[in-house]
Amino acid sequence: MTTPQPPAASPGLVERMYLRSVADRLYGAADDLPRPDLRQTRRDISYDLEEHLHSLTKLLAEIALQNVRHSRTTNPDTLARRRIGSLTRAATPLGLALADLGEVLTQVGFLQEIAGHPRTPDRAEAVRSAREVLDDRLDSARGYLTEASGQLHRDAERLTASAPARRMSPTPSATPAAAHPGPHLLSAPRGPAR
């Protein structure tokens, strides 16, 4: 008596799930960044910033490692090439988000540096200006992370939509029209990829 085996995963399912996982991590990071309207303390921003820099840097290193592993693979399949292409395209907006967060770190450090200075109009202007840059860079980083996330979600959908289908011979009950769609079906415009 043989044990029934679970059905094999469809082509690209693992790659699609991985791209979605990375996309969800990027979206979560974007959503968790401090918002200007929540006027957090320097200590809170510093703590949050350290967590984000750590996790996003680790994610960028993970993408680089995936690229290294892919480059060592002999004869990678089409889906693997598409997956690595999607991941490496996400590296640019992720890197830009990290650069923005680096500027946030600089501004937080500056605010900590001048915190002990006497309260003067110049200090007040410096604090306002630093907060403005800090808020702008947080918004920019959020935008880059959201962009990378969206790109990976779109690529994940396209990955499996264009995955090579398994060839199956037509069954005797198939009609010629069903087995071979006419030109009217092949030339129909496609809707936007989701």
Side-chain angles (χ1 to χ4, degrees):
M1 183 173 194
T2 60
T3 305
Q5 297 295 320
S10 65
L13 182 62
V14 172
E15 288 85 356
R16 180 180 181 181
M17 289 173 57
Y18 181 72
L19 290 180
R20 283 184 161 191
S21 168
V22 173
D24 290 345
R25 288 164 58 191
L26 289 168
Y27 185 80
D31 195 45
D32 288 344
L33 286 176
R35 300 211 179 259
D37 55 333
L38 296 179
R39 290 296 174 194
Q40 295 176 298
T41 66
R42 287 186 310 275
R43 180 178 292 148
D44 291 341
I45 290 175
S46 294
Y47 179 76
D48 288 348
L49 186 58
E50 186 277 330
E51 282 185 356
H52 287 296
L53 285 169
H54 180 77
S55 67
L56 292 173
T57 303
K58 187 176 174 180
L59 181 56
L60 187 59
E62 181 182 319
I63 291 171
L65 179 61
Q66 290 290 324
N67 189 45
V68 167
R69 286 180 179 159
H70 176 78
S71 68
R72 291 180 182 164
T73 303
T74 57
N75 300 323
D77 65 14
T78 301
L79 292 173
R81 286 193 301 273
R82 288 181 187 162
R83 178 182 53 83
I84 203 66
S86 295
L87 285 173
T88 55
R89 278 190 300 278
T92 297
L94 175 55
L96 292 169
L98 283 166
D100 281 339
L101 294 177
E103 180 62 28
V104 170
L105 182 61
T106 299
Q107 296 305 318
V108 169
F110 174 73
L111 289 170
Q112 290 173 349
E113 179 183 349
I114 66 170
H117 292 187
R119 293 181 182 261
T120 65
D122 286 344
R123 178 182 174 262
E125 176 57 26
V127 167
R128 187 203 60 73
S129 178
R131 283 304 299 218
E132 188 175 295
V133 171
L134 189 148
D135 292 344
D136 180 60
R137 293 296 163 228
L138 284 171
D139 284 343
S140 178
R142 187 177 298 103
Y144 283 125
L145 293 172
T146 302
E147 173 188 334
S149 174
Q151 175 252 308
L152 284 172
H153 271 291
R154 288 186 300 278
D155 285 354
E157 292 303 314
R158 280 189 228 120
L159 184 74
T160 53
S162 61
R166 295 182 188 192
R167 293 185 181 186
M168 302 180 83
S169 56
T171 61
S173 63
T175 63
H180 302 287
H184 64 283
L185 294 176
L186 295 175
S187 63
R190 292 181 154 199
R194 292 184 188 242

